[in-house]
Amino acid sequence: MTAGQAGIRRFTQRTGVALVAVGALAACGGGGGGGGSTPSAAAASDAAPSGATPTGSASTGTAPATAPVTRGAPSGPADSSVVLTRADQAKAVLPPKNALPGGWSTNGSDALRGDPVRSDDDCSFEPCTGAKFTGYGDYHGAGDAPAHDNVQAYDTKAHAQSAFTQAAAGGDGYVKTSGPKIGNESQYFTRTADGGTDQVILFRVGTVVAEVSLAQGSANPEDLQKLAATQAERTAQVLAGQTLTWQRHR
């Protein structure tokens, strides 16, 4: 576990929200708040992940670095078996400053990170079996409410599905709620900790699982669903090797 990533969950604790990325999924499908707006050519990309192009493609089960961007809203999530091949791809699924809901900001120069998983201590949450990379986003929501995003990318879709199922069961302080579907699978919670009640959304996109959270006191609590929808779409684009679009969901 990296310094500064202190605790979020009922498993290995990190600061804020845990997000496990398990596959490519377009967050616009399957629910309100995440759907709809068609990217324009002018709003196209905040650059694909840097670094050497990974070997393989969707046909070989690894995420390509780049591919022509597909314009228009996706019809729904593709439950992909493609896996991420580099830590910077786990970072790339995290929404940057220009893709955040209105009034949001990133928290510091090291707010967005991607790292390899070398041991169970590096995992955002359990189960760690099959985890390859983690991503972490540190944000401030409207009203300066802390928001966190933890991503975990797995080596197979089966491991991602298992991780989502276990995390979706909840834990101490977690109460299941409902909301629009995000990605291939999602579960909403409220989480009581330190005298406050946070909002939490757990979701899976293919081989990637993620959990995002927003502390009590946000001026716009519905923004968390917008963040999750944007991230699910970015995850789908990274897995498909598409150019990342920057638009936030409104």
Side-chain angles (χ1 to χ4, degrees), residues 176-192:
K176 291 184 179 181
T177 60
S178 61
K181 183 181 178 183
I182 302 292
N184 301 120
E185 302 180 272
S186 59
Q187 177 62 59
Y188 290 64
F189 299 94
T190 58
R191 179 182 62 209
T192 302

Side-chain angles (χ1 to χ4, degrees), residues 110-240:
D110 195 29
L112 307 180
R113 302 194 291 277
D115 299 293
V117 173
R118 297 185 178 91
S119 71
D120 287 1
D121 289 340
D122 295 327
C123 285
S124 297
F125 49 89
E126 297 177 351
C128 196
T129 303
K132 296 181 64 180
F133 305 105
T134 62
Y136 175 70
D138 188 4
Y139 302 107
H140 283 301
D144 208 32
H148 303 276
D149 189 339
N150 281 307
V151 173
Q152 202 148 286
Y154 288 84
D155 58 356
T156 65
K157 184 165 67 174
H159 281 143
Q161 290 170 322
S162 176
F164 175 87
T165 298
Q166 181 166 325
D172 291 345
Y174 281 73
V175 176
K176 291 184 179 181
T177 60
S178 61
K181 183 181 178 183
I182 302 292
N184 301 120
E185 302 180 272
S186 59
Q187 177 62 59
Y188 290 64
F189 299 94
T190 58
R191 179 182 62 209
T192 302
D194 299 326
T197 301
D198 300 345
Q199 300 174 73
V200 178
I201 304 175
L202 172 76
F203 61 96
R204 179 182 69 83
V205 178
T207 56
V208 177
V209 178
E211 186 179 275
V212 294
S213 65
L214 178 62
Q216 187 176 27
S218 170
N220 297 305
E222 67 278 5
D223 284 348
L224 187 64
Q225 192 274 330
K226 298 177 184 179
L227 177 73
T230 296
Q231 181 165 317
E233 183 173 348
R234 291 175 68 87
T235 303
Q237 290 172 332
V238 171
L239 288 168

